[in-house]
Amino acid sequence: MHPARARLIHDRPQTQGPVLYWMHREMRAADNWALLHARELADQRRQPLAVAFCLAREYPLAALPHFAFLLHGLRHTAQELEALGVPFILLRGEPGQAVAQYARDARIGLLVTDADPAKPKRAWLADLLSRLQCPAMEVDSRNVAPARRVSDKAEYMARTIRPKIQRLLPEFLDPFPALQRQSLPWPGPAPATDWDVLLATFGPPPAHFPPGEAAARQRLDAFLRQGLPRYADERNTPVSPASSGLSPYLHFGQLSAQRAALAAMAANAAPQAREAFLEQLIVRRELAENFCLHTPHYDTVEAFPAWARQTLARHRADARPFLASEAQLDAAATPDPLWNAAQRQLLATGHMHGWLRMYWAKQILFWSPDAETALARVLRLNDTLSLDGRDVNGYAGAAWSIGGVHDRPWPERPVFGTVRSMTFSGAARKFDVRAFVSRWSGPEPA
């Protein structure tokens, strides 16, 4: 692993003892730099390695389908690890406290964990480090180019971060080694998990997205065959999309973005199709990571650029054509048939086409009394209903849609001011709106 992916986050005296990888963002056994680095460090120390995951009592806005998707996939990961002689330890409770307690009980000598700028994960990590007695390292396995290496500030937009990422790709876009079998035994018994009982608590996984590493690779392979060749021209067509459908697997760490990038680069597709996909997979995703990493208030209007806050304030009193209630949004009962169809797609599948998600969010701004209310609504609906919610991509997308983050001023319009708007007529010029509405049809309001 490239050493720039890792950083020491807890400087404590070196002691003998096993190595523990606290897995909380990259839930996979394959193509996982943090796991590979933990294994390498364990070998250097001549100590065994175990993987721990803590099932938190709650996670903001996460719903049962999210936990079901996570845990059904995690069971397969645990089986893969245990087949390689690496114990998988499922803990429960407040993650910082539970992981620190297990580290003490098992006399862990070194802890390795995932990098994640999300507020709940930052709080877990701070709690852990306040209790931890051994050194700890953090590894960036999410991004092809490690976020802290790319930039030490919040980038203005894609064009400012793109060259910084592209300069680093030859250095970091390297193939993954295989995780080798571990021969050293774990000292003492590892806590057993009754997976059948646990999974019954959360119910079946989402029907439209089978969970787990194997399912993620199957979805990637299908996209490379069927979607990637059409991607450059048809990715923004919700009726017959060429989009990858990988976002739930990327969000839950069941697939490595670097693995997807390497596979796309080797795929049989036109160069412009590969370039368009890699722009979304690498540049746009890593721009979102940069936004949340360097913007602690990423989920509030304070994250909006000054020009957007000013223009939204000037248009705060503008008349809205329709003021939606929370119940109308939840039930897909607005006057806009396209918005309703997109919301029904989200309700039915846990996923919404990417272009529609931008339109969907901007209409919520149009129908809300102010930007603060609109942003809170977008985040609540996205994080509660979407399998890829509670993700840096979602926070950056909401901030782009409502507050012009990573965008520029546009011609002034009511309500939006100079924040970019998206309209039903504009959608009708891009794709067959009637076909999409028909597919996700339901009773429209009178």
Side-chain angles (χ1 to χ4, degrees):
M1 185 196 79
H2 194 297
R5 289 191 179 278
R7 68 187 188 110
L8 182 68
I9 56 173
H10 197 56
D11 192 2
R12 290 294 183 272
Q14 294 286 334
T15 60
Q16 284 295 99
V19 176
L20 184 68
Y21 166 41
W22 174 28
M23 173 185 283
H24 60 78
R25 194 184 198 190
E26 311 303 327
M27 272 77 83
R28 60 184 181 274
D31 305 333
N32 184 337
W33 289 123
L35 175 58
L36 289 164
H37 190 52
R39 177 61 200 279
E40 181 182 19
L41 292 172
D43 285 349
Q44 291 173 3
R45 297 162 64 93
R46 299 181 181 178
Q47 294 287 339
L49 167 71
V51 175
F53 175 86
C54 185
L55 180 58
R57 290 193 176 96
E58 60 180 21
Y59 194 91
L61 297 180
L64 282 178
H66 305 139
F67 284 104
F69 184 87
L70 183 157
L71 290 169
H72 279 271
L74 204 58
R75 182 181 197 172
H76 299 313
T77 295
Q79 293 169 344
E80 292 291 323
L81 290 168
E82 289 165 357
L84 293 171
V86 179
F88 182 87
I89 298 157
L90 182 68
L91 305 172
R92 304 192 195 197
E94 296 300 326
Q97 180 179 345
V99 174
Q101 183 63 54
Y102 182 78
R104 282 194 299 272
D105 293 345
R107 298 183 179 181
I108 297 301
L110 175 66
L111 184 138
V112 178
T113 194
D114 302 320
D116 192 334
K119 289 181 180 180
K121 301 293 188 67
R122 287 180 176 181
W124 292 356
L125 184 61
D127 188 22
L128 168 73
L129 298 184
S130 72
R131 305 168 186 271
L132 194 65
Q133 299 169 352
C134 67
M137 302 191 72
E138 181 182 80
V139 179
D140 185 343
S141 302
R142 179 192 189 267
N143 303 287
V144 176
R148 293 181 182 274
R149 179 72 177 270
V150 169
S151 179
D152 60 0
K153 64 180 182 179
E155 294 292 331
Y156 185 64
M157 56 178 53
R159 67 174 173 80
T160 66
I161 201 172
R162 186 180 296 110
K164 297 181 179 182
I165 292 172
Q166 289 176 340
R167 279 196 296 269
L168 292 172
L169 290 183
E171 186 177 353
F172 288 96
L173 191 54
D174 46 357
F176 290 96
L179 180 66
Q180 299 300 312
R181 180 174 179 80
Q182 177 169 257
S183 57
L184 289 176
W186 188 251
T193 300
D194 190 330
W195 285 100
D196 291 335
V197 171
L198 178 63
L199 295 177
T201 304
F202 295 97
H208 288 79
F209 291 92
E213 297 182 55
R217 290 297 299 271
Q218 289 171 5
R219 180 65 63 101
L220 172 61
D221 291 344
F223 165 69
L224 296 175
R225 292 192 310 271
Q226 302 165 12
L228 183 60
R230 301 187 293 123
Y231 192 83
D233 298 323
E234 301 179 44
R235 66 182 183 276
N236 289 332
T237 304
V239 179
S240 179
S243 53
S244 70
L246 294 174
S247 62
Y249 301 104
L250 292 167
H251 167 68
F252 281 100
Q254 296 174 1
L255 178 69
S256 161
Q258 187 154 338
R259 170 59 63 193
L262 291 166
M265 291 168 66
N268 183 21
Q272 60 266 32
R274 293 197 297 268
E275 290 168 8
F277 177 62
L278 294 173
E279 167 73 13
Q280 298 301 316
L281 179 71
I282 300 177
V283 175
R284 300 293 173 155
R285 287 182 76 248
E286 298 192 13
L287 178 62
E289 182 88 353
N290 168 272
F291 170 64
C292 290
L293 177 63
H294 296 295
T295 312
H297 46 281
Y298 58 75
D299 56 352
T300 75
V301 296
E302 294 304 310
F304 299 171
W307 67 264
R309 295 198 305 272
Q310 291 164 5
T311 194
L312 290 167
R314 284 196 301 268
H315 288 269
R316 190 183 188 99
D318 287 3
R320 271 66 172 166
F322 167 68
L323 279 175
S325 68
E326 300 283 349
Q328 287 170 315
L329 296 174
D330 290 344
T334 78
D336 183 339
L338 177 58
W339 193 95
N340 294 344
Q343 176 72 356
R344 291 191 192 104
Q345 181 187 40
L346 181 59
L347 289 166
T349 68
H351 184 70
M352 186 189 297
H353 184 274
W355 188 92
L356 280 177
R357 189 155 13 185
M358 297 184 292
Y359 174 85
W360 170 89
K362 286 184 176 290
Q363 290 305 102
I364 291 175
L365 172 60
F366 203 39
W367 299 332
S368 297
D370 49 57
E372 292 84 356
T373 302
L375 181 62
R377 288 173 164 182
V378 167
L379 293 179
R380 178 184 69 83
L381 290 169
N382 185 67
D383 288 358
T384 302
L385 300 176
S386 182
L387 280 173
D388 63 8
R390 308 156 313 285
D391 189 274
V392 296
N393 278 20
Y395 298 122
W400 179 89
S401 299
I402 306 298
V405 169
H406 303 147
D407 206 354
R408 59 173 177 82
W410 287 71
E412 197 153 11
R413 293 174 58 93
V415 181
F416 292 93
T418 56
V419 172
R420 183 199 303 246
S421 65
M422 296 172 72
T423 64
F424 185 94
S425 59
R429 289 192 294 272
K430 291 184 72 70
F431 63 92
D432 189 344
V433 168
R434 183 174 298 178
F436 182 82
V437 171
S438 176
R439 179 177 179 184
W440 299 102
S441 62
E444 296 294 343

